[in-house]
Amino acid sequence: MRTRLALVLILHMALAPEAATRADDPSPPPVAPQVPAESREVPTGGPPSPASLVERSTVELVLIETYVTDRRDQPIRGLTAEDFVLKIDSYVRPIASIEHRVASRARPPAPGDPGVPEPASGEGTPAQPAPPGPGFARRFVMFFDDETSSPEGLGVARRATARFLEDGLQPSDEIAIVAYRHRLQLLQDFTTDRVALRRVLDESFKDPRRHSTFVTESAARTRELQESFATSLSSSTGLFRRATAEENRVMGDVLAAIQSLVESLAPWPGYKGIVYLGDGIPENPGRLHLDLMELPSSATAALVNATLAFTLSEEFRDLVEAASGAGVTLHSVQTSGLTAGRAGGVAASSRRSNALETLALNTGGIATSSNDLGRALTEVEDGSREYYVIGYAPEEPPDGLYHSIQLQVKRSGLRVRWRRGFTRFLPAEMQRRTLQAAHLLPGLYAGMQLELVAIPGPPEPSGRTVDLVLHIPPGRLLMLPESGDLVGRLNVGMVALAGPEETLRLARQVTIRVDPTVTSMDRLGTNLFARVHLPARAQSITAVLSDLATGEVGAARAELPEQSPRPQSVGGLSIYSLAERSVWIEVRDTPAITEVAGVHDSHSLGPALRTTFARGEPLACGFRTVTGSSGPLRLRILAGGIAIRAIDVEAGGPAVRTVQFASSDLVAGDYVLVVEETGPGGSVEVGRLPFAIRPAELAAAPADPT
């Protein structure tokens, strides 16, 4: 007999008690509200207005950021298309458009500002604002290479960045902070909130996990190789190859992380730059050891040939092409600064910086190697404050190939910096890259406001069963008319990782079809759910959704803690919004999709399961008590570890409990819902669930779940 999760029975009782399955039914129950096993068609979103269904003609432009300055690095204004000569793959091509842009000093208006209305509930704030005009906002990603750089240098870089963010940028500039240590970590997504950025940098500075031993281990390898070559050339060559292969792998991982970040930024409009902060990455890591060792010229020549098998030239080329296709500018700030001392040390430092300079040159960025990191960051900011955007209209369809750009200014005495190439990826390749990037950095794909909730079930000898619920707010999916119905199509994928090990991979295409007369679409969201089996250890789960009608991609991540060895008397703890109806769609292992017009089963509709709610939403807490639990139960709502509300649960009663509570008196912030079992000896916590309240008020009455 398979034990049920609380989620199943909670929603069956709330929506259709007469349809609840028997406890002794051996078949695996679907997460309720029940959807017919063969169905993948349910209502969501809303119909487009007839006026929006018009034929459009578009012209694709390749946008080339071009920086023109005089000998004192002062920007030149007033240039026109006639002042430039554009060559694509060495052939002169016409300039389709030219626009002069200057970074705006004003912060763009945001919800909550005086005179700016709050977004309607369920709509949220657009994650991708409209492309900036002549006065535009920039987006910078500060990338800290903690993996291959000196921890001391990266600590100084964090302090310099914190000072730079306070007074070195325009108020409208949006900043994200990313670090790489074993894996890519989004510490802060794009924001203009300098206080939040400073707080993230301070926390990152104090985090001992950022400290890498790569630099000291590399120096130890160099000493070991020097001693080994002094005794035996043949045996030392193998040692040299192994050391070079390992460092090549680690540095290659950093380049792959930067490329994933580049591809994550592809959908964002306007200026987007990545500022690399670290010791640098050489094109040939093995040459660093040769720079630092004193060897006979014959041995050096033999080892130079050995390093050719471990070059990163292909990875650098792929990164340039990805940045060209995504319209991303790469800047570099070498945190080791100017190196003094032995010639070999200077050569090794230069080798690490030269490859970064090439990246910056080919993408229109700036590369600096300065002991004054604040000044280096200022150079990056100054160099991107004012430029021209030159538009080129290709006549051929996208081919996925890299095309070179040569640009000249007819006026003499001017300095020109520009993107040296572009790549027009095929649509399928661009979609693949975007989906991979969203899995890696879901925080940069929050525009659809997805929420992923992982609800652990009872422990099992081989792991645990978990219900994964991906919530899509109302209006986020585009439903198009088709044969009298509204139809939406989407792809959804879920990946779970326990450390480096992948424990789950689920990818399905879902077709949604609805008869518009079946139900109101105003507040109808969607909950995609899957029952999966996962190991007992801690893991992160990422869900990525792609609306095939619009091409929009959204992502969300949930952390699943390690399973407690202590048996819990409460399971399936969840919170539902009674103000929003959602249609529930099961994402199964079988890829078959059968279309059924309309929704004829009320079990497919129910309250929305989420972890973030608007202030004022009526909420319901649901959970299942395990046989053998003793005392009465009490709910507590904690804010900052302090109990601000207690709700007694009626003693006895069914195994599945639902407790409604209001959120109108909860200010915006983070909370924890705790379930306690009370008894003569005091209270014992038997379950907890974090949730959040957002500022926007929800004035609507609770939706009728039937």
Side-chain angles (χ1 to χ4, degrees):
M1 182 183 71
R2 178 171 297 202
T3 306
R4 270 138 189 74
L5 301 184
L7 178 61
V8 180
L9 298 178
I10 293 167
L11 292 181
H12 269 252
M13 290 191 64
L15 304 180
E18 71 280 3
T21 55
R22 300 196 321 269
D24 58 348
D25 183 358
S27 62
V31 178
Q34 184 175 351
V35 182
E38 73 280 1
S39 174
R40 290 298 183 275
E41 304 177 42
V42 287
T44 187
S49 64
S52 66
L53 301 177
V54 296
E55 184 177 350
R56 292 182 172 88
S57 176
T58 61
V59 177
E60 179 187 357
L61 286 180
V62 174
L63 302 180
I64 308 165
E65 296 93 345
T66 305
Y67 308 83
V68 185
T69 61
D70 59 19
R71 290 188 174 88
R72 296 176 298 171
D73 287 331
Q74 296 301 307
I76 301 298
R77 302 179 179 179
L79 299 179
T80 66
E82 287 71 25
D83 294 308
F84 294 91
V85 176
L86 173 66
K87 292 183 180 181
I88 305 297
D89 296 332
S90 301
Y91 294 96
V92 176
R93 291 290 184 257
I95 293 175
S97 65
I98 186 169
E99 178 185 358
H100 181 250
R101 291 189 173 184
V102 181
S104 173
R105 297 194 62 84
R107 180 179 64 84
D113 289 350
V116 178
E118 289 280 353
S121 175
E123 295 179 359
T125 305
Q128 299 178 5
F136 71 100
R138 299 171 295 181
R139 295 186 179 91
F140 289 99
V141 179
M142 315 304 290
F143 181 97
F144 293 92
D145 177 12
D146 290 312
E147 186 70 23
T148 71
S149 305
S150 163
E152 294 76 18
L154 265 295
V156 174
R158 282 170 166 81
R159 292 303 191 200
T161 302
R163 293 190 297 270
F164 171 70
L165 294 180
E166 291 181 355
D167 52 21
L169 290 166
Q170 307 300 311
S172 61
D173 292 336
E174 298 183 12
I175 310 299
I177 299 176
V178 172
Y180 185 84
R181 178 76 172 100
H182 300 315
R183 63 183 178 88
L184 199 57
Q185 305 169 64
L186 178 63
L187 305 182
Q188 172 64 55
D189 58 3
F190 286 113
T191 181
T192 59
D193 187 343
R194 304 298 188 251
V195 175
L197 291 165
R198 178 62 182 264
R199 181 172 59 252
V200 168
L201 285 170
D202 287 344
E203 293 173 354
S204 177
F205 178 83
K206 299 173 184 176
D207 187 355
R209 293 173 297 180
R210 73 172 179 86
H211 289 259
S212 169
T213 58
F214 180 88
V215 173
T216 55
E217 289 176 355
S218 180
R221 290 191 191 102
T222 299
R223 292 192 296 270
E224 182 181 2
L225 287 169
Q226 181 72 66
E227 295 171 358
S228 177
F229 277 112
T231 58
S232 172
L233 177 61
S234 58
S235 62
S236 301
T237 302
L239 181 63
F240 177 81
R241 286 179 177 273
R242 290 191 295 272
T244 300
E246 172 61 18
E247 296 187 7
N248 184 84
R249 180 194 64 80
V250 174
M251 291 184 169
D253 288 345
V254 177
L255 288 178
I258 299 175
Q259 181 167 333
S260 297
L261 182 58
V262 163
E263 292 163 359
S264 298
L265 298 175
W268 291 76
Y271 178 90
K272 50 216 177 190
I274 297 176
V275 183
Y276 170 92
L277 296 110
D279 290 357
I281 302 174
E283 186 172 327
N284 192 325
R287 295 296 298 270
L288 298 179
H289 294 293
L290 297 182
D291 291 334
L292 296 171
M293 290 191 297
E294 297 179 357
L295 298 175
S297 57
S298 58
T300 301
L303 294 177
V304 166
N305 291 330
T307 65
L308 297 179
F310 305 104
T311 178
L312 294 172
S313 57
E314 184 174 343
E315 285 79 358
F316 274 100
R317 186 189 68 242
D318 290 345
L319 178 54
V320 168
E321 293 186 4
S324 301
V328 174
T329 302
L330 301 176
H331 306 280
S332 74
V333 176
Q334 191 179 28
T335 53
S336 59
L338 300 176
T339 304
R342 293 177 56 247
V346 175
S349 179
S350 298
R351 196 177 299 278
R352 296 191 72 165
S353 67
N354 288 343
L356 297 177
E357 291 174 1
T358 302
L359 281 179
L361 174 67
N362 282 282
T363 61
I366 292 176
T368 66
S369 297
S370 171
N371 292 325
D372 186 346
L373 297 184
R375 180 180 178 182
L377 291 169
T378 299
E379 289 182 22
V380 170
E381 192 276 333
D382 287 344
S384 59
R385 185 177 298 179
E386 189 169 341
Y387 60 84
Y388 294 89
V389 177
I390 293 177
Y392 161 64
E395 298 178 358
E396 303 81 9
D399 54 14
L401 302 178
Y402 181 79
H403 299 274
S404 65
I405 299 174
Q406 295 87 40
L407 200 60
Q408 298 175 346
V409 180
K410 296 178 182 178
R411 298 186 187 182
S412 61
L414 300 182
R415 298 175 177 175
V416 187
R417 176 167 49 91
W418 71 94
R419 185 184 308 282
R420 299 302 177 97
F422 66 89
T423 306
R424 296 166 64 216
F425 293 114
L426 299 173
E429 174 66 11
M430 194 64 196
Q431 181 74 356
R432 183 190 67 81
R433 289 170 176 258
T434 300
L435 293 176
Q436 288 182 344
H439 274 287
L440 189 64
L441 287 175
L444 293 181
Y445 288 80
M448 297 183 76
Q449 295 185 328
L450 306 180
E451 287 191 59
L452 180 63
V453 185
I455 305 172
E460 300 175 3
S462 60
R464 53 181 162 178
T465 299
V466 178
D467 277 343
L468 303 177
V469 183
L470 180 65
H471 177 70
I472 310 169
R476 291 296 172 182
L477 298 177
L478 178 60
M479 308 290 290
L480 297 176
E482 184 178 304
S483 302
D485 294 323
L486 295 176
V487 177
R489 291 180 173 85
L490 55 92
N491 284 331
V492 60
M494 298 182 183
V495 174
L497 294 174
E501 180 188 354
E502 184 177 293
T503 57
L504 171 70
R505 177 177 289 269
L506 179 65
R508 295 292 175 263
Q509 180 173 322
V510 178
T511 298
I512 303 172
R513 183 183 296 273
V514 58
D515 179 349
T517 64
V518 170
T519 182
S520 170
M521 310 293 290
D522 294 342
R523 292 191 179 277
L524 192 63
T526 304
N527 278 339
L528 304 176
F529 64 87
R531 175 162 294 181
V532 299
H533 188 79
L534 296 174
R537 57 188 182 276
Q539 50 210 291
S540 65
I541 307 163
T542 305
V544 174
L545 183 142
S546 174
D547 186 342
L548 300 182
T550 63
E552 185 175 7
V553 173
R557 177 170 289 166
E559 299 294 334
L560 188 63
E562 184 177 1
Q563 182 173 269
S564 173
R566 184 176 56 131
Q568 295 289 308
S569 57
V570 166
L573 183 59
S574 311
I575 303 178
Y576 306 88
S577 167
L578 301 182
E580 178 195 319
R581 283 196 304 172
S582 284
V583 62
W584 288 71
I585 309 172
E586 184 174 8
V587 181
R588 299 194 176 196
D589 289 338
T590 171
I593 301 174
T594 303
E595 297 189 350
V596 180
V599 173
H600 308 288
D601 183 359
S602 63
H603 300 300
S604 64
L605 298 177
L609 190 154
R610 296 193 254 119
T611 57
T612 302
F613 307 92
R615 184 181 180 187
E617 280 191 86
L619 307 178
C621 164
F623 56 89
R624 186 180 192 277
T625 56
V626 179
T627 303
S629 58
S630 54
L633 300 175
R634 176 187 298 123
L635 303 183
R636 288 187 183 273
I637 297 178
L638 308 182
I642 301 175
I644 62 173
R645 186 191 299 179
I647 306 171
D648 290 325
V649 181
E650 183 179 355
V656 174
R657 307 292 184 89
T658 57
V659 181
Q660 298 188 25
F661 62 97
S663 63
S664 55
D665 60 338
L666 299 179
V667 299
D670 296 326
Y671 298 87
V672 177
L673 178 68
V674 173
V675 183
E676 297 177 341
E677 190 173 72
T678 61
S683 299
V684 178
E685 180 181 314
V686 293
R688 66 167 42 212
L689 176 66
F691 70 100
I693 299 294
R694 65 172 185 264
E697 296 286 340
L698 185 64
D704 180 3
T706 62

